[in-house]
Amino acid sequence: MRYHRLRFDIWLCLLLSVGLSLLPANLVRHFMPKNYESYVEEHTVAEGEIGGKAGEDVFRAENIEDLETHDTFTVISPGIEYRNRGSGYYGNRYLQALTLPSGERVAAAINMENVQVEGDYYTGEATLPLGKIVWEDLTENESFINQIEYTEPLSRTDFYVDMMGNGGKLSQEDYTEPVVMLAQILTVVIFFPLFHALGSKLGIFPAFFTRKKKKESEWD
């Protein structure tokens, strides 16, 4: 196996660029908490809205027929079975294979923040958030179907249950770090060639590209 060492000038320019990238990274970390507060406010679902906590007056669905005959509903799930039967990404939605009390299985986007658990987390009763049916042909996404039906097939694939609504908040770290990383990458991409060009102009570094001299003609 052959190893290729980077030239000293490249290492130095990278080091300078990475060091400089800490400045915009710190600025992003300073200002992002305010943005995160607005993000949290926008993605907090109130009771009575899809993805919000289901009150006592919300219909408790037992089977698929109940889902189809009610505009909104909730489902009572034992323990954590609602998140332990398969899952997958359908577009930008993360859907769980939800087992209804009847034993039928449907795909559901669940706002975990508004799941209400009575008793032990693993063995108690979980009242899922307020939900509704969204009609979609889930089989159009073959990769998703293979993921969510890895252990058992769904009873229906022409809809999924939306118990997410506008919820599904990221943690502050997950919300902030991608922006921080992007700021650092852009800084390195912009300043690495600038540092090297400046060093080359001052004669400190060799140029990246050197023009080949034309061979003199024998007739000259």
Side-chain angles (χ1 to χ4, degrees), residues 3-220:
Y3 294 92
H4 299 276
R5 293 184 179 179
L6 290 177
R7 291 181 347 207
F8 170 76
D9 54 311
I10 295 177
W11 277 115
L12 182 58
C13 291
L14 278 174
L15 184 62
L16 291 172
S17 301
V18 171
L20 185 63
S21 73
L22 297 178
L23 177 60
N26 289 332
L27 287 173
V28 169
R29 288 194 179 96
H30 177 74
F31 290 107
M32 285 301 285
K34 293 182 180 179
N35 293 343
Y36 184 70
E37 290 176 8
S38 300
Y39 166 80
V40 169
E41 187 176 342
E42 291 174 3
H43 289 79
T44 298
V45 185
E47 185 173 329
E49 297 179 358
I50 298 301
K53 290 182 179 179
E56 294 294 331
D57 58 333
V58 175
F59 178 75
R60 269 62 175 161
E62 297 278 332
N63 50 48
I64 289 177
E65 183 180 358
D66 287 344
L67 304 183
E68 293 180 305
T69 54
H70 291 78
D71 293 332
T72 59
F73 46 79
T74 186
V75 173
I76 307 298
S77 179
I80 59 171
E81 187 171 344
Y82 64 93
R83 60 187 302 174
N84 204 31
R85 292 291 180 180
S87 59
Y89 277 98
Y90 180 75
N92 62 351
R93 288 280 192 178
Y94 187 66
L95 305 184
Q96 306 277 356
L98 171 63
T99 303
L100 302 174
S102 63
E104 297 166 301
R105 298 175 76 247
V106 296
I110 304 172
N111 185 5
M112 300 299 176
E113 183 181 9
N114 287 332
V115 175
Q116 303 170 81
V117 180
E118 291 185 14
D120 183 77
Y121 176 74
Y122 295 99
T123 60
E125 283 192 343
T127 302
L128 302 186
L130 186 69
K132 67 176 183 179
I133 278 183
V134 176
W135 297 99
E136 293 273 358
D137 182 3
L138 304 182
T139 60
E140 290 183 352
N141 190 327
E142 186 176 350
S143 175
F144 162 73
I145 289 295
N146 290 337
Q147 291 177 57
I148 200 167
E149 292 189 334
Y150 182 72
T151 56
E152 300 174 73
L154 297 174
S155 301
R156 292 278 291 273
T157 56
D158 57 338
F159 70 81
Y160 71 86
V161 175
D162 181 10
M163 292 180 167
M164 179 67 71
N166 196 39
K169 296 191 293 288
L170 296 172
S171 67
Q172 185 167 343
E173 182 179 357
D174 290 340
Y175 178 80
T176 302
E177 286 309 307
V179 184
V180 171
M181 185 175 295
L182 179 60
Q184 288 187 284
I185 290 172
L186 288 176
T187 302
V188 172
V189 168
I190 292 170
F191 281 92
F192 171 76
L194 289 179
F195 281 137
H196 199 278
L198 178 61
S200 297
K201 189 173 182 179
L202 295 175
I204 301 172
F205 305 143
F208 264 131
F209 304 103
T210 56
R211 294 182 179 180
K212 292 183 178 180
K213 292 183 178 180
K214 293 183 178 180
K215 291 183 179 181
E216 293 184 3
S217 173
E218 295 179 357
W219 300 100
D220 293 341

